[in-house]
Amino acid sequence: MCKCGRQRIQPPKKMEREEVLSWALKIGGALAVVATMYTFMRRGKRVKRIAPKDTVVLYQIGRGPYAPSISPFPLKLETYLRMAKIPYENDQSGKFSSKGKTPWIEYNGQIVEDSQFCIEYLNDKLGIDLNAHLNAEQKAVARALQKMTEENLYWSICYESFGNDLSRVETVMPYKGLKLWLGTRILAYKIKKELWGHGIGRHSSDQILHIGSGDIKALSVFLGKKPFMMGEHPSEVDCAIFGMVGQMLWHMEGSPHQKLLKEELSNLVDFCVRMKEWYWPDWDKCITKPDKTKDD
């Protein structure tokens, strides 16, 4: 029989032991990441909570070691609830909203997501106006300050916390073991994508710090010697500024943001301490390491 044109098929080479082990580790790691992401995503599924009528249920991820939250937005919203004297209960089980965000609230069966939408909903529903003493121009300035803080300064904080070295943020996260290791890295991956999409993540580290420092200094200049951002009396914007600056002051130990506050911008430090004293008399009961929170 003619064997012309036939090519002998070579048997596949045996995989080296190290190659098999490498692939096993990769597959195992991928499965672990998927399982962890699934756990995080399941938090968005609602479990009916029974709360007294006209009582806000505030869903957030849990207390922080040196401030009542590890995120500026739950601290902002909870401070608002205290400032407005609205009855509320905390749910710190870590459930995220359907938008994948935290914090969020439930009020008499109505779910509201995003800290600012929560505030606006409660203002409208309960007839609350913490800005009643401000004129139209002052309200416009307050909004501009808040948006600069939450839409610009915030991203420099994210970069500092999750951009490269995760060791600092790992001391703050309310997780342990594998959940801590995987959780911080999943968040870091997600936040880096968001930083790139925002645009600030396309800059160098020095440039991002320059942007953030400029925002912090602007807040300090505007605050000046006033007790609160808009004058002698607190208003809604103080909750947002306190939530953000408080994270830098208490949860970013040794960071450029914290050094700038403590070394050059003492009026912002005093502002945070003032807000803490006015609205958080139970501060030490709302953090996990009360022995570490004595003011300098």
Side-chain angles (χ1 to χ4, degrees):
M1 180 182 289
C2 179
K3 299 182 179 179
C4 299
R6 291 191 179 183
Q7 293 182 353
R8 184 173 180 177
I9 299 174
Q10 299 293 329
K13 294 181 179 179
K14 291 184 178 179
M15 293 180 71
E16 297 292 337
R17 181 178 179 182
E18 291 78 6
E19 189 177 354
V20 173
L21 180 59
S22 175
W23 274 104
L25 288 173
K26 289 177 181 178
I27 293 171
L31 290 173
V33 170
V34 170
T36 304
M37 291 182 71
Y38 174 72
T39 300
F40 275 92
M41 291 299 291
R42 287 191 66 219
R43 290 177 171 178
K45 292 188 176 181
R46 181 185 172 200
V47 177
K48 184 66 177 177
R49 179 188 175 98
I50 305 300
K53 189 176 184 298
D54 300 330
T55 298
V56 171
V57 178
L58 172 58
Y59 293 89
Q60 55 176 312
I61 52 179
R63 295 305 192 191
Y66 312 122
S69 177
I70 63 171
S71 170
F73 300 104
L75 183 56
K76 160 195 169 181
L77 182 51
E78 191 168 0
T79 301
Y80 160 82
L81 292 171
R82 289 170 175 238
M83 186 182 287
K85 299 179 180 178
I86 300 173
Y88 74 95
E89 293 181 356
N90 268 305
D91 184 314
Q92 297 168 352
S93 59
K95 291 189 289 289
F96 281 64
S97 72
S98 63
K99 295 180 180 180
K101 301 184 71 172
T102 186
W104 54 288
I105 65 169
E106 186 171 358
Y107 182 73
N108 290 341
Q110 178 66 45
I111 291 175
V112 186
E113 300 161 295
D114 185 273
S115 63
Q116 191 58 37
F117 286 155
C118 291
I119 289 173
E120 292 175 11
Y121 173 83
L122 292 171
N123 284 345
D124 181 66
K125 195 76 173 176
L126 303 177
I128 293 170
D129 187 0
L130 299 178
N131 299 328
H133 59 289
L134 304 180
N135 60 36
E137 182 179 347
Q138 289 173 320
K139 290 177 182 178
V141 171
R143 179 178 174 84
L145 289 171
Q146 180 172 335
K147 294 306 176 183
M148 176 189 74
T149 301
E150 294 185 336
E151 306 294 343
N152 205 60
L153 173 58
Y154 168 70
W155 292 108
S156 77
I157 292 174
C158 286
Y159 179 83
E160 180 63 31
S161 299
F162 291 96
N164 294 304
D165 183 9
L166 299 177
S167 60
R168 185 188 297 118
V169 77
E170 285 180 331
T171 66
V172 175
M173 297 288 285
Y175 309 125
K176 295 180 180 179
L178 180 61
K179 191 174 182 180
L180 172 64
W181 189 89
L182 277 176
T184 51
R185 280 148 186 83
I186 290 171
L187 281 173
Y189 174 76
K190 182 175 182 294
I191 288 172
K192 285 178 181 178
K193 289 184 66 177
E194 292 175 344
L195 286 164
W196 186 263
H198 175 276
I200 195 171
R202 301 166 191 249
H203 301 311
S204 68
S205 298
D206 289 343
Q207 289 171 329
I208 295 173
L209 178 59
H210 174 74
I211 292 171
S213 297
D215 290 342
I216 302 169
K217 290 176 182 177
L219 289 175
S220 176
V221 169
F222 185 82
L223 176 63
K225 296 182 180 181
K226 301 190 298 292
F228 300 101
M229 293 305 299
M230 303 309 298
E232 294 298 317
H233 304 287
S235 57
E236 212 173 272
V237 68
D238 292 299
C239 301
I241 305 303
F242 173 64
M244 198 70 61
V245 178
Q247 292 300 316
M248 295 186 283
L249 181 61
W250 288 301
H251 279 162
M252 295 180 68
E253 186 66 31
S255 68
H257 293 67
Q258 188 196 64
K259 289 179 182 178
L260 179 61
L261 286 173
K262 289 189 172 183
E263 294 175 5
E264 300 182 33
L265 309 177
S266 60
N267 65 335
L268 282 177
V269 175
D270 294 340
F271 164 78
C272 285
V273 173
R274 188 175 300 112
M275 288 288 291
K276 171 184 167 183
E277 291 174 346
W278 275 49
Y279 299 109
W280 291 89
D282 55 343
W283 182 275
D284 281 356
K285 295 179 181 179
C286 298
I287 58 178
T288 60
K289 296 184 178 180
D291 57 318
K292 298 286 186 69
T293 61
K294 294 182 179 178
D295 301 316
D296 293 335

